[in-house]
PDB file of all heavy atoms in Angstrom:
ATOM      1  N   ASP X   1       0.796  -1.139  -0.024  1.00 89.00           N
ATOM      2  CA  ASP X   1       0.006   0.044  -0.057  1.00 89.00           C
ATOM      3  C   ASP X   1       0.886   1.258   0.038  1.00 89.00           C
ATOM      4  O   ASP X   1       0.367   2.368   0.296  1.00 89.00           O
ATOM      5  CB  ASP X   1      -0.972   0.045   1.173  1.00 89.00           C
ATOM      6  CG  ASP X   1      -0.364  -0.333   2.533  1.00 89.00           C
ATOM      7  OD1 ASP X   1       0.833  -0.691   2.560  1.00 89.00           O
ATOM      8  OD2 ASP X   1      -1.050  -0.165   3.526  1.00 89.00           O
ATOM      9  N   GLY X   2       2.098   1.147  -0.342  1.00 88.00           N
ATOM     10  CA  GLY X   2       2.925   2.335  -0.673  1.00 88.00           C
ATOM     11  C   GLY X   2       3.535   3.000   0.606  1.00 88.00           C
ATOM     12  O   GLY X   2       4.054   4.096   0.475  1.00 88.00           O
ATOM     13  N   THR X   3       3.568   2.283   1.738  1.00 88.00           N
ATOM     14  CA  THR X   3       4.169   2.930   2.967  1.00 88.00           C
ATOM     15  C   THR X   3       5.661   2.586   2.954  1.00 88.00           C
ATOM     16  O   THR X   3       5.991   1.380   2.910  1.00 88.00           O
ATOM     17  CB  THR X   3       3.500   2.389   4.150  1.00 88.00           C
ATOM     18  OG1 THR X   3       2.133   2.779   4.142  1.00 88.00           O
ATOM     19  CG2 THR X   3       4.164   2.950   5.419  1.00 88.00           C
ATOM     20  N   SER X   4       6.496   3.612   3.076  1.00 87.00           N
ATOM     21  CA  SER X   4       7.934   3.328   3.122  1.00 87.00           C
ATOM     22  C   SER X   4       8.397   3.459   4.581  1.00 87.00           C
ATOM     23  O   SER X   4       9.595   3.051   4.821  1.00 87.00           O
ATOM     24  CB  SER X   4       8.647   4.441   2.279  1.00 87.00           C
ATOM     25  OG  SER X   4       8.491   5.686   2.823  1.00 87.00           O
ATOM     26  N   ALA X   5       7.636   4.000   5.482  1.00 82.00           N
ATOM     27  CA  ALA X   5       7.999   4.047   6.984  1.00 82.00           C
ATOM     28  C   ALA X   5       6.712   4.354   7.645  1.00 82.00           C
ATOM     29  O   ALA X   5       5.725   4.996   7.184  1.00 82.00           O
ATOM     30  CB  ALA X   5       9.004   5.093   7.208  1.00 82.00           C
ATOM     31  N   LEU X   6       6.676   3.818   8.911  1.00 79.00           N
ATOM     32  CA  LEU X   6       5.485   4.074   9.725  1.00 79.00           C
ATOM     33  C   LEU X   6       5.428   5.582  10.125  1.00 79.00           C
ATOM     34  O   LEU X   6       6.472   6.288   9.936  1.00 79.00           O
ATOM     35  CB  LEU X   6       5.532   3.179  10.965  1.00 79.00           C
ATOM     36  CG  LEU X   6       5.548   1.682  10.745  1.00 79.00           C
ATOM     37  CD1 LEU X   6       5.514   0.990  12.028  1.00 79.00           C
ATOM     38  CD2 LEU X   6       4.306   1.322   9.818  1.00 79.00           C
ATOM     39  N   ALA X   7       4.380   6.001  10.681  1.00 77.00           N
ATOM     40  CA  ALA X   7       4.194   7.419  11.091  1.00 77.00           C
ATOM     41  C   ALA X   7       5.266   7.826  12.125  1.00 77.00           C
ATOM     42  O   ALA X   7       5.644   8.972  12.189  1.00 77.00           O
ATOM     43  CB  ALA X   7       2.825   7.692  11.646  1.00 77.00           C
ATOM     44  N   ASN X   8       5.723   6.808  12.908  1.00 76.00           N
ATOM     45  CA  ASN X   8       6.772   7.106  13.928  1.00 76.00           C
ATOM     46  C   ASN X   8       8.135   7.025  13.313  1.00 76.00           C
ATOM     47  O   ASN X   8       9.115   7.237  14.084  1.00 76.00           O
ATOM     48  CB  ASN X   8       6.650   6.153  15.114  1.00 76.00           C
ATOM     49  CG  ASN X   8       6.818   4.704  14.741  1.00 76.00           C
ATOM     50  OD1 ASN X   8       7.274   4.391  13.618  1.00 76.00           O
ATOM     51  ND2 ASN X   8       6.581   3.800  15.675  1.00 76.00           N
ATOM     52  N   GLY X   9       8.283   6.840  12.027  1.00 70.00           N
ATOM     53  CA  GLY X   9       9.532   6.722  11.380  1.00 70.00           C
ATOM     54  C   GLY X   9      10.188   5.396  11.230  1.00 70.00           C
ATOM     55  O   GLY X   9      11.176   5.276  10.576  1.00 70.00           O
ATOM     56  N   ALA X  10       9.637   4.395  11.876  1.00 69.00           N
ATOM     57  CA  ALA X  10      10.177   3.038  11.767  1.00 69.00           C
ATOM     58  C   ALA X  10      10.103   2.551  10.311  1.00 69.00           C
ATOM     59  O   ALA X  10       9.097   2.525   9.688  1.00 69.00           O
ATOM     60  CB  ALA X  10       9.460   2.104  12.686  1.00 69.00           C
ATOM     61  N   SER X  11      11.246   2.006   9.869  1.00 70.00           N
ATOM     62  CA  SER X  11      11.227   1.516   8.416  1.00 70.00           C
ATOM     63  C   SER X  11      12.158   0.313   8.300  1.00 70.00           C
ATOM     64  O   SER X  11      12.282  -0.286   7.217  1.00 70.00           O
ATOM     65  CB  SER X  11      11.757   2.568   7.511  1.00 70.00           C
ATOM     66  OG  SER X  11      13.057   3.012   7.796  1.00 70.00           O
ATOM     67  N   GLN X  12      12.825  -0.212   9.298  1.00 75.00           N
ATOM     68  CA  GLN X  12      13.712  -1.425   9.255  1.00 75.00           C
ATOM     69  C   GLN X  12      13.054  -2.573   9.957  1.00 75.00           C
ATOM     70  O   GLN X  12      12.749  -2.465  11.158  1.00 75.00           O
ATOM     71  CB  GLN X  12      14.981  -1.007   9.879  1.00 75.00           C
ATOM     72  CG  GLN X  12      15.772   0.105   9.168  1.00 75.00           C
ATOM     73  CD  GLN X  12      17.128   0.203   9.887  1.00 75.00           C
ATOM     74  OE1 GLN X  12      17.298   0.109  11.059  1.00 75.00           O
ATOM     75  NE2 GLN X  12      18.095   0.805   9.174  1.00 75.00           N
ATOM     76  N   TRP X  13      12.791  -3.702   9.167  1.00 82.00           N
ATOM     77  CA  TRP X  13      13.062  -3.790   7.785  1.00 82.00           C
ATOM     78  C   TRP X  13      11.638  -4.060   7.167  1.00 82.00           C
ATOM     79  O   TRP X  13      10.968  -5.068   7.494  1.00 82.00           O
ATOM     80  CB  TRP X  13      14.042  -4.819   7.503  1.00 82.00           C
ATOM     81  CG  TRP X  13      15.286  -4.665   8.054  1.00 82.00           C
ATOM     82  CD1 TRP X  13      15.841  -5.178   9.187  1.00 82.00           C
ATOM     83  CD2 TRP X  13      16.340  -3.794   7.485  1.00 82.00           C
ATOM     84  NE1 TRP X  13      17.167  -4.755   9.421  1.00 82.00           N
ATOM     85  CE2 TRP X  13      17.515  -3.912   8.454  1.00 82.00           C
ATOM     86  CE3 TRP X  13      16.498  -3.031   6.398  1.00 82.00           C
ATOM     87  CZ2 TRP X  13      18.600  -3.177   8.141  1.00 82.00           C
ATOM     88  CZ3 TRP X  13      17.647  -2.270   6.146  1.00 82.00           C
ATOM     89  CH2 TRP X  13      18.770  -2.356   7.103  1.00 82.00           C
ATOM     90  N   ILE X  14      11.236  -3.336   6.124  1.00 88.00           N
ATOM     91  CA  ILE X  14      10.098  -3.560   5.336  1.00 88.00           C
ATOM     92  C   ILE X  14      10.229  -4.763   4.463  1.00 88.00           C
ATOM     93  O   ILE X  14       9.406  -5.627   4.355  1.00 88.00           O
ATOM     94  CB  ILE X  14       9.642  -2.314   4.495  1.00 88.00           C
ATOM     95  CG1 ILE X  14       9.188  -1.242   5.464  1.00 88.00           C
ATOM     96  CG2 ILE X  14       8.580  -2.670   3.521  1.00 88.00           C
ATOM     97  CD1 ILE X  14       8.843   0.040   4.797  1.00 88.00           C
ATOM     98  N   THR X  15      11.421  -4.862   3.761  1.00 92.00           N
ATOM     99  CA  THR X  15      11.663  -5.987   2.904  1.00 92.00           C
ATOM    100  C   THR X  15      12.519  -7.037   3.565  1.00 92.00           C
ATOM    101  O   THR X  15      13.084  -6.728   4.647  1.00 92.00           O
ATOM    102  CB  THR X  15      12.422  -5.487   1.578  1.00 92.00           C
ATOM    103  OG1 THR X  15      13.608  -4.731   2.023  1.00 92.00           O
ATOM    104  CG2 THR X  15      11.490  -4.574   0.768  1.00 92.00           C
ATOM    105  N   ALA X  16      12.664  -8.216   2.981  1.00 93.00           N
ATOM    106  CA  ALA X  16      13.391  -9.305   3.571  1.00 93.00           C
ATOM    107  C   ALA X  16      14.896  -9.190   3.157  1.00 93.00           C
ATOM    108  O   ALA X  16      15.292  -8.380   2.408  1.00 93.00           O
ATOM    109  CB  ALA X  16      12.753 -10.615   3.219  1.00 93.00           C
ATOM    110  N   GLU X  17      15.653 -10.122   3.729  1.00 94.00           N
ATOM    111  CA  GLU X  17      17.152 -10.164   3.561  1.00 94.00           C
ATOM    112  C   GLU X  17      17.531 -10.270   2.068  1.00 94.00           C
ATOM    113  O   GLU X  17      18.471  -9.568   1.643  1.00 94.00           O
ATOM    114  CB  GLU X  17      17.737 -11.240   4.313  1.00 94.00           C
ATOM    115  CG  GLU X  17      19.260 -11.327   4.256  1.00 94.00           C
ATOM    116  CD  GLU X  17      19.897 -12.405   5.116  1.00 94.00           C
ATOM    117  OE1 GLU X  17      19.074 -13.065   5.813  1.00 94.00           O
ATOM    118  OE2 GLU X  17      21.054 -12.608   5.060  1.00 94.00           O
ATOM    119  N   ALA X  18      16.862 -11.065   1.279  1.00 95.00           N
ATOM    120  CA  ALA X  18      17.246 -11.212  -0.126  1.00 95.00           C
ATOM    121  C   ALA X  18      17.181  -9.900  -0.827  1.00 95.00           C
ATOM    122  O   ALA X  18      18.034  -9.537  -1.609  1.00 95.00           O
ATOM    123  CB  ALA X  18      16.336 -12.299  -0.814  1.00 95.00           C
ATOM    124  N   ALA X  19      16.039  -9.067  -0.630  1.00 95.00           N
ATOM    125  CA  ALA X  19      15.886  -7.759  -1.284  1.00 95.00           C
ATOM    126  C   ALA X  19      16.958  -6.808  -0.857  1.00 95.00           C
ATOM    127  O   ALA X  19      17.503  -5.990  -1.646  1.00 95.00           O
ATOM    128  CB  ALA X  19      14.555  -7.297  -0.974  1.00 95.00           C
ATOM    129  N   ARG X  20      17.345  -6.902   0.432  1.00 94.00           N
ATOM    130  CA  ARG X  20      18.417  -5.977   0.952  1.00 94.00           C
ATOM    131  C   ARG X  20      19.692  -6.289   0.321  1.00 94.00           C
ATOM    132  O   ARG X  20      20.519  -5.369  -0.018  1.00 94.00           O
ATOM    133  CB  ARG X  20      18.459  -6.040   2.539  1.00 94.00           C
ATOM    134  CG  ARG X  20      17.180  -5.565   3.165  1.00 94.00           C
ATOM    135  CD  ARG X  20      17.367  -5.289   4.641  1.00 94.00           C
ATOM    136  NE  ARG X  20      17.801  -6.449   5.425  1.00 94.00           N
ATOM    137  CZ  ARG X  20      16.889  -7.310   5.987  1.00 94.00           C
ATOM    138  NH1 ARG X  20      15.604  -7.105   5.726  1.00 94.00           N
ATOM    139  NH2 ARG X  20      17.316  -8.335   6.639  1.00 94.00           N
ATOM    140  N   THR X  21      20.066  -7.631   0.164  1.00 96.00           N
ATOM    141  CA  THR X  21      21.276  -7.999  -0.429  1.00 96.00           C
ATOM    142  C   THR X  21      21.285  -7.538  -1.931  1.00 96.00           C
ATOM    143  O   THR X  21      22.279  -7.122  -2.400  1.00 96.00           O
ATOM    144  CB  THR X  21      21.476  -9.584  -0.319  1.00 96.00           C
ATOM    145  OG1 THR X  21      21.466  -9.867   1.002  1.00 96.00           O
ATOM    146  CG2 THR X  21      22.707 -10.027  -1.091  1.00 96.00           C
ATOM    147  N   ASP X  22      20.175  -7.702  -2.584  1.00 96.00           N
ATOM    148  CA  ASP X  22      20.045  -7.366  -4.025  1.00 96.00           C
ATOM    149  C   ASP X  22      20.298  -5.759  -4.058  1.00 96.00           C
ATOM    150  O   ASP X  22      20.947  -5.329  -5.026  1.00 96.00           O
ATOM    151  CB  ASP X  22      18.666  -7.670  -4.526  1.00 96.00           C
ATOM    152  CG  ASP X  22      18.561  -7.396  -6.054  1.00 96.00           C
ATOM    153  OD1 ASP X  22      19.111  -8.224  -6.777  1.00 96.00           O
ATOM    154  OD2 ASP X  22      17.875  -6.523  -6.469  1.00 96.00           O
ATOM    155  N   GLY X  23      19.697  -5.109  -3.143  1.00 96.00           N
ATOM    156  CA  GLY X  23      19.915  -3.625  -3.209  1.00 96.00           C
ATOM    157  C   GLY X  23      21.388  -3.208  -3.037  1.00 96.00           C
ATOM    158  O   GLY X  23      21.841  -2.209  -3.637  1.00 96.00           O
ATOM    159  N   HIS X  24      22.195  -4.009  -2.237  1.00 96.00           N
ATOM    160  CA  HIS X  24      23.600  -3.728  -2.161  1.00 96.00           C
ATOM    161  C   HIS X  24      24.345  -4.030  -3.479  1.00 96.00           C
ATOM    162  O   HIS X  24      25.380  -3.407  -3.782  1.00 96.00           O
ATOM    163  CB  HIS X  24      24.207  -4.505  -1.002  1.00 96.00           C
ATOM    164  CG  HIS X  24      24.096  -3.836   0.331  1.00 96.00           C
ATOM    165  ND1 HIS X  24      25.105  -3.498   1.130  1.00 96.00           N
ATOM    166  CD2 HIS X  24      22.944  -3.506   0.984  1.00 96.00           C
ATOM    167  CE1 HIS X  24      24.715  -2.916   2.208  1.00 96.00           C
ATOM    168  NE2 HIS X  24      23.405  -2.872   2.179  1.00 96.00           N
ATOM    169  N   ALA X  25      23.776  -4.990  -4.245  1.00 96.00           N
ATOM    170  CA  ALA X  25      24.367  -5.277  -5.587  1.00 96.00           C
ATOM    171  C   ALA X  25      24.228  -4.052  -6.465  1.00 96.00           C
ATOM    172  O   ALA X  25      25.160  -3.738  -7.283  1.00 96.00           O
ATOM    173  CB  ALA X  25      23.740  -6.542  -6.249  1.00 96.00           C
ATOM    174  N   TRP X  26      23.080  -3.381  -6.382  1.00 97.00           N
ATOM    175  CA  TRP X  26      22.851  -2.187  -7.235  1.00 97.00           C
ATOM    176  C   TRP X  26      23.749  -1.057  -6.640  1.00 97.00           C
ATOM    177  O   TRP X  26      24.188  -0.223  -7.462  1.00 97.00           O
ATOM    178  CB  TRP X  26      21.386  -1.801  -7.129  1.00 97.00           C
ATOM    179  CG  TRP X  26      20.628  -2.708  -7.983  1.00 97.00           C
ATOM    180  CD1 TRP X  26      19.962  -3.897  -7.618  1.00 97.00           C
ATOM    181  CD2 TRP X  26      20.283  -2.561  -9.373  1.00 97.00           C
ATOM    182  NE1 TRP X  26      19.338  -4.446  -8.688  1.00 97.00           N
ATOM    183  CE2 TRP X  26      19.528  -3.692  -9.779  1.00 97.00           C
ATOM    184  CE3 TRP X  26      20.716  -1.673 -10.352  1.00 97.00           C
ATOM    185  CZ2 TRP X  26      19.002  -3.860 -11.048  1.00 97.00           C
ATOM    186  CZ3 TRP X  26      20.253  -1.846 -11.702  1.00 97.00           C
ATOM    187  CH2 TRP X  26      19.431  -2.861 -11.982  1.00 97.00           C
ATOM    188  N   ARG X  27      23.895  -1.030  -5.422  1.00 96.00           N
ATOM    189  CA  ARG X  27      24.840   0.030  -4.835  1.00 96.00           C
ATOM    190  C   ARG X  27      26.291  -0.252  -5.354  1.00 96.00           C
ATOM    191  O   ARG X  27      26.958   0.773  -5.851  1.00 96.00           O
ATOM    192  CB  ARG X  27      24.998  -0.193  -3.286  1.00 96.00           C
ATOM    193  CG  ARG X  27      23.862   0.432  -2.459  1.00 96.00           C
ATOM    194  CD  ARG X  27      24.283   0.269  -0.968  1.00 96.00           C
ATOM    195  NE  ARG X  27      23.241   0.882  -0.049  1.00 96.00           N
ATOM    196  CZ  ARG X  27      23.274   0.914   1.140  1.00 96.00           C
ATOM    197  NH1 ARG X  27      24.395   0.583   1.793  1.00 96.00           N
ATOM    198  NH2 ARG X  27      22.325   1.422   1.940  1.00 96.00           N
ATOM    199  N   LYS X  28      26.632  -1.519  -5.486  1.00 96.00           N
ATOM    200  CA  LYS X  28      28.018  -1.856  -5.961  1.00 96.00           C
ATOM    201  C   LYS X  28      28.219  -1.364  -7.423  1.00 96.00           C
ATOM    202  O   LYS X  28      29.324  -0.896  -7.695  1.00 96.00           O
ATOM    203  CB  LYS X  28      28.179  -3.354  -5.878  1.00 96.00           C
ATOM    204  CG  LYS X  28      29.455  -3.952  -6.439  1.00 96.00           C
ATOM    205  CD  LYS X  28      29.519  -5.495  -6.298  1.00 96.00           C
ATOM    206  CE  LYS X  28      30.741  -5.933  -6.996  1.00 96.00           C
ATOM    207  NZ  LYS X  28      30.878  -7.461  -6.899  1.00 96.00           N
ATOM    208  N   ARG X  29      27.280  -1.456  -8.248  1.00 95.00           N
ATOM    209  CA  ARG X  29      27.493  -1.029  -9.640  1.00 95.00           C
ATOM    210  C   ARG X  29      27.558   0.446  -9.795  1.00 95.00           C
ATOM    211  O   ARG X  29      27.979   0.930 -10.861  1.00 95.00           O
ATOM    212  CB  ARG X  29      26.416  -1.733 -10.531  1.00 95.00           C
ATOM    213  CG  ARG X  29      25.101  -0.995 -10.693  1.00 95.00           C
ATOM    214  CD  ARG X  29      24.250  -1.643 -11.842  1.00 95.00           C
ATOM    215  NE  ARG X  29      24.342  -0.831 -13.037  1.00 95.00           N
ATOM    216  CZ  ARG X  29      23.852  -1.238 -14.199  1.00 95.00           C
ATOM    217  NH1 ARG X  29      23.321  -2.459 -14.302  1.00 95.00           N
ATOM    218  NH2 ARG X  29      23.934  -0.414 -15.275  1.00 95.00           N
ATOM    219  N   ALA X  30      27.104   1.238  -8.853  1.00 96.00           N
ATOM    220  CA  ALA X  30      27.044   2.717  -8.991  1.00 96.00           C
ATOM    221  C   ALA X  30      28.404   3.367  -8.755  1.00 96.00           C
ATOM    222  O   ALA X  30      29.287   2.789  -7.918  1.00 96.00           O
ATOM    223  CB  ALA X  30      26.004   3.299  -8.048  1.00 96.00           C
ATOM    224  N   GLY X  31      28.654   4.480  -9.290  1.00 96.00           N
ATOM    225  CA  GLY X  31      29.865   5.240  -8.983  1.00 96.00           C
ATOM    226  C   GLY X  31      29.795   5.906  -7.667  1.00 96.00           C
ATOM    227  O   GLY X  31      30.788   6.327  -7.022  1.00 96.00           O
ATOM    228  N   ALA X  32      28.578   6.300  -7.373  1.00 97.00           N
ATOM    229  CA  ALA X  32      28.330   7.107  -6.092  1.00 97.00           C
ATOM    230  C   ALA X  32      26.947   6.779  -5.577  1.00 97.00           C
ATOM    231  O   ALA X  32      26.004   6.389  -6.280  1.00 97.00           O
ATOM    232  CB  ALA X  32      28.471   8.568  -6.366  1.00 97.00           C
ATOM    233  N   ILE X  33      26.797   6.867  -4.263  1.00 97.00           N
ATOM    234  CA  ILE X  33      25.518   6.725  -3.510  1.00 97.00           C
ATOM    235  C   ILE X  33      25.147   7.993  -2.832  1.00 97.00           C
ATOM    236  O   ILE X  33      25.961   8.684  -2.153  1.00 97.00           O
ATOM    237  CB  ILE X  33      25.566   5.593  -2.486  1.00 97.00           C
ATOM    238  CG1 ILE X  33      26.110   4.325  -3.160  1.00 97.00           C
ATOM    239  CG2 ILE X  33      24.256   5.361  -1.798  1.00 97.00           C
ATOM    240  CD1 ILE X  33      26.415   3.263  -2.057  1.00 97.00           C
ATOM    241  N   LEU X  34      23.884   8.517  -3.032  1.00 98.00           N
ATOM    242  CA  LEU X  34      23.485   9.856  -2.546  1.00 98.00           C
ATOM    243  C   LEU X  34      22.366   9.621  -1.499  1.00 98.00           C
ATOM    244  O   LEU X  34      21.413   8.831  -1.746  1.00 98.00           O
ATOM    245  CB  LEU X  34      23.009  10.668  -3.675  1.00 98.00           C
ATOM    246  CG  LEU X  34      22.543  12.121  -3.325  1.00 98.00           C
ATOM    247  CD1 LEU X  34      22.922  13.126  -4.324  1.00 98.00           C
ATOM    248  CD2 LEU X  34      20.983  12.144  -3.171  1.00 98.00           C
ATOM    249  N   THR X  35      22.424  10.403  -0.365  1.00 97.00           N
ATOM    250  CA  THR X  35      21.350  10.502   0.518  1.00 97.00           C
ATOM    251  C   THR X  35      21.185  11.985   1.055  1.00 97.00           C
ATOM    252  O   THR X  35      22.039  12.773   0.664  1.00 97.00           O
ATOM    253  CB  THR X  35      21.498   9.455   1.665  1.00 97.00           C
ATOM    254  OG1 THR X  35      20.272   9.345   2.391  1.00 97.00           O
ATOM    255  CG2 THR X  35      22.603   9.997   2.648  1.00 97.00           C
ATOM    256  N   GLY X  36      20.231  12.218   1.939  1.00 96.00           N
ATOM    257  CA  GLY X  36      20.089  13.463   2.494  1.00 96.00           C
ATOM    258  C   GLY X  36      20.319  13.505   3.902  1.00 96.00           C
ATOM    259  O   GLY X  36      20.367  12.508   4.601  1.00 96.00           O
ATOM    260  N   ILE X  37      20.461  14.764   4.437  1.00 96.00           N
ATOM    261  CA  ILE X  37      20.851  14.886   5.864  1.00 96.00           C
ATOM    262  C   ILE X  37      19.742  14.310   6.812  1.00 96.00           C
ATOM    263  O   ILE X  37      20.018  13.829   7.974  1.00 96.00           O
ATOM    264  CB  ILE X  37      21.255  16.358   6.242  1.00 96.00           C
ATOM    265  CG1 ILE X  37      21.655  16.465   7.678  1.00 96.00           C
ATOM    266  CG2 ILE X  37      19.958  17.260   5.936  1.00 96.00           C
ATOM    267  CD1 ILE X  37      22.980  15.689   7.906  1.00 96.00           C
ATOM    268  N   GLY X  38      18.470  14.347   6.389  1.00 92.00           N
ATOM    269  CA  GLY X  38      17.359  13.864   7.088  1.00 92.00           C
ATOM    270  C   GLY X  38      17.540  12.428   7.441  1.00 92.00           C
ATOM    271  O   GLY X  38      17.496  11.984   8.565  1.00 92.00           O
TER     272      GLY X  38
END
C-alpha cells in the first residue's frame, strides 16, 4: 500500500534479507551513492 515508513519513522526492515542483499548489488554497480541529511 505504498508505505515506506510508519508514522513514527520506523522502516527497518520492510523488505526481507534477499531484497536488501540485492539492493547492495545495485549499490556496488554505482559510482556514487546519494542521501540527504534527514
Side-chain angles (χ1 to χ4, degrees):
D1 49 352
T3 297
S4 63
L6 299 181
N8 62 8
S11 62
Q12 295 181 332
W13 298 98
I14 290 178
T15 55
E17 183 177 355
R20 298 196 296 272
T21 300
D22 189 70
H24 275 239
W26 286 91
R27 282 186 181 184
K28 174 182 176 179
R29 83 169 260 169
I33 306 173
L34 179 142
T35 195
I37 187 60

